C-alpha cells in the first residue's frame, strides 16, 4: 500500500507541466526517506503494543477480520504519519490499543476525538489535563485569574495570554470543559464528561 501511494504521487506530480520531473525528484529526495522512516517507526510502535496485548491474552488473529478495529487502525495510522509530534503518535497508539481490547466509542464521538488529536497542539492536551486535576477553585477564579493559573502551571504559555485564551476557547468549543468559574467554591475538575472520556481515550488503557 505504501508503494502504491508513492507511485500514485509520482504519477500525479509527473503530470504537472514543466515541473513534473523535477517535482518527482524533489519528492524522492526530501519527502520519501522521511515518510519511510516514519512508517517504519510507527509500525514498530504499534507492533510493540499489539504484541504486549497478545501476551495478555488478546488473540491478534481475531483482529484481521474485525472491520471496526481495522478502520480505527487505518485512520489512526494515516494521521499519525502526518506528524512528528511524539505525544500525538503515542495518543494514536493508545487509540489502537483500546480498539484491540474491544473498547469502542460511539462512532460520532470517536470521529470528534480523532479530529481533536489531529488539530490540537500538545499545549491543548496539557491544558486539558491541567483542568482535569482538581487543583483549581472555580468559585474564586475570574477568567483573567484562570489564565494566570494556566500560565503558571505551563511555562510555555507564560506571557502568551492570547494563545492561552484561544486554547481554552478551543477546548470549550469541543465540549471538553465545563464553565471554569461559578458560584461553587469547592475544589473540582473542570473537564466535562466528554473531556474526561477524551483523556481516557488517549492514555494507556487500565485493563
Amino acid at each position: 500500500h505504501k508503494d502504491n501511494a508513492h507511485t500514485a504521487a509520482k504519477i500525479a506530480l509527473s503530470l504537472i507541466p514543466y515541473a513534473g520531473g523535477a517535482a518527482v525528484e524533489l519528492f524522492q529526495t526530501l519527502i520519501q526517506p522521511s515518510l519511510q522512516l516514519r512508517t517504519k517507526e510507527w509500525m514498530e510502535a504499534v507492533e510493540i503494543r499489539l504484541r504486549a496485548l497478545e501476551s495478555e491474552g488478546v488473540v491478534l488473529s481475531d483482529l484481521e477480520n474485525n472491520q471496526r478495529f481495522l478502520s480505527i487502525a487505518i485512520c489512526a495510522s494515516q494521521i499519525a504519519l502526518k506528524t512528528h509530534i511524539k505525544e500525538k503518535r503515542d495518543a494514536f497508539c493508545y487509540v489502537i490499543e483500546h480498539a484491540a481490547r474491544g473498547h469502542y466509542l460511539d462512532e460520532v464521538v470517536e470521529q470528534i476525538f480523532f479530529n481533536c488529536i489531529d488539530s490540537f497542539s500538545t499545549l491543548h492536551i496539557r491544558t486539558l489535563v491541567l483542568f482535569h486535576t482538581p487543583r483549581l477553585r472555580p468559585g474564586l477564579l475570574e477568567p483573567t485569574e484562570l489564565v494566570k493559573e494556566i500560565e503558571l502551571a505551563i511555562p510555555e504559555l507564560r506571557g502568551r495570554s492570547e494563545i492561552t485564551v484561544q486554547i481554552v476557547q478551543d477546548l470549550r468549543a469541543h465540549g471538553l470543559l465545563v464553565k471554569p468559574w461559578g458560584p461553587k467554591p469547592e475544589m473540582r475538575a473542570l473537564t466535562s464528561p466528554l473531556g474526561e472520556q477524551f483523556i481516557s481515550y488517549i492514555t494507556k488503557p487500565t485493563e
Side-chain angles (χ1 to χ4, degrees):
H1 296 302
K2 179 178 66 177
D3 291 339
N4 290 341
H6 287 166
T7 300
K10 288 183 182 180
I11 293 173
L13 288 170
S14 66
L15 295 176
I16 301 174
Y18 308 110
V24 170
E25 293 303 318
L26 190 62
F27 178 87
Q28 291 177 324
T29 301
L30 296 182
I31 307 300
Q32 186 168 326
S34 177
L35 181 58
Q36 290 175 333
L37 178 60
R38 286 188 185 187
T39 301
K40 178 178 180 293
E41 292 175 343
W42 173 250
M43 291 173 62
E44 290 173 348
V46 172
E47 181 184 13
I48 289 172
R49 301 295 174 89
L50 293 180
R51 292 302 179 191
L53 291 180
E54 186 177 37
S55 68
E56 297 175 15
V58 174
V59 181
L60 297 186
S61 60
D62 290 346
L63 300 176
E64 293 178 7
N65 297 313
N66 184 329
Q67 294 304 312
R68 185 73 192 280
F69 167 79
L70 293 174
S71 292
I72 290 172
I74 291 169
C75 290
S77 297
Q78 288 175 332
I79 301 174
L81 289 176
K82 294 193 305 182
T83 182
H84 66 284
I85 300 173
K86 182 180 183 300
E87 290 83 354
K88 289 193 176 190
R89 295 164 72 93
D90 287 345
F92 278 117
C93 270
Y94 289 133
V95 167
I96 291 176
E97 186 174 343
H98 279 291
R101 291 176 180 272
H103 301 168
Y104 299 115
L105 301 178
D106 175 89
E107 291 190 20
V108 174
V109 174
E110 181 181 281
Q111 187 59 56
I112 290 172
F113 287 173
F114 267 64
N115 291 338
C116 287
I117 302 171
D118 189 19
S119 63
F120 282 176
S121 69
T122 55
L123 292 178
H124 281 78
I125 304 299
R126 289 171 62 186
T127 300
L128 182 64
V129 171
L130 174 66
F131 280 124
H132 190 55
T133 305
R135 56 174 292 176
L136 304 174
R137 299 181 63 183
L140 302 180
L141 288 174
E142 294 296 328
T144 54
E145 295 175 345
L146 184 66
V147 168
K148 292 178 182 178
E149 180 75 13
I150 295 170
E151 293 181 359
L152 181 63
I154 303 177
E156 292 90 337
L157 288 174
R158 290 176 187 170
R160 305 172 69 187
S161 297
E162 291 183 359
I163 300 297
T164 304
V165 170
Q166 184 61 56
I167 287 174
V168 173
Q169 290 176 346
D170 290 344
L171 296 175
R172 291 191 64 193
H174 285 81
L176 305 180
L177 296 180
V178 297
K179 189 173 181 180
W181 45 85
K184 296 182 180 180
E186 73 274 9
M187 301 287 284
R188 63 182 175 90
L190 300 180
T191 45
S192 67
L194 190 65
E196 294 174 2
Q197 191 176 22
F198 178 66
I199 291 174
S200 296
Y201 192 58
I202 63 172
T203 52
K204 185 173 179 61
T206 56
E207 60 178 30

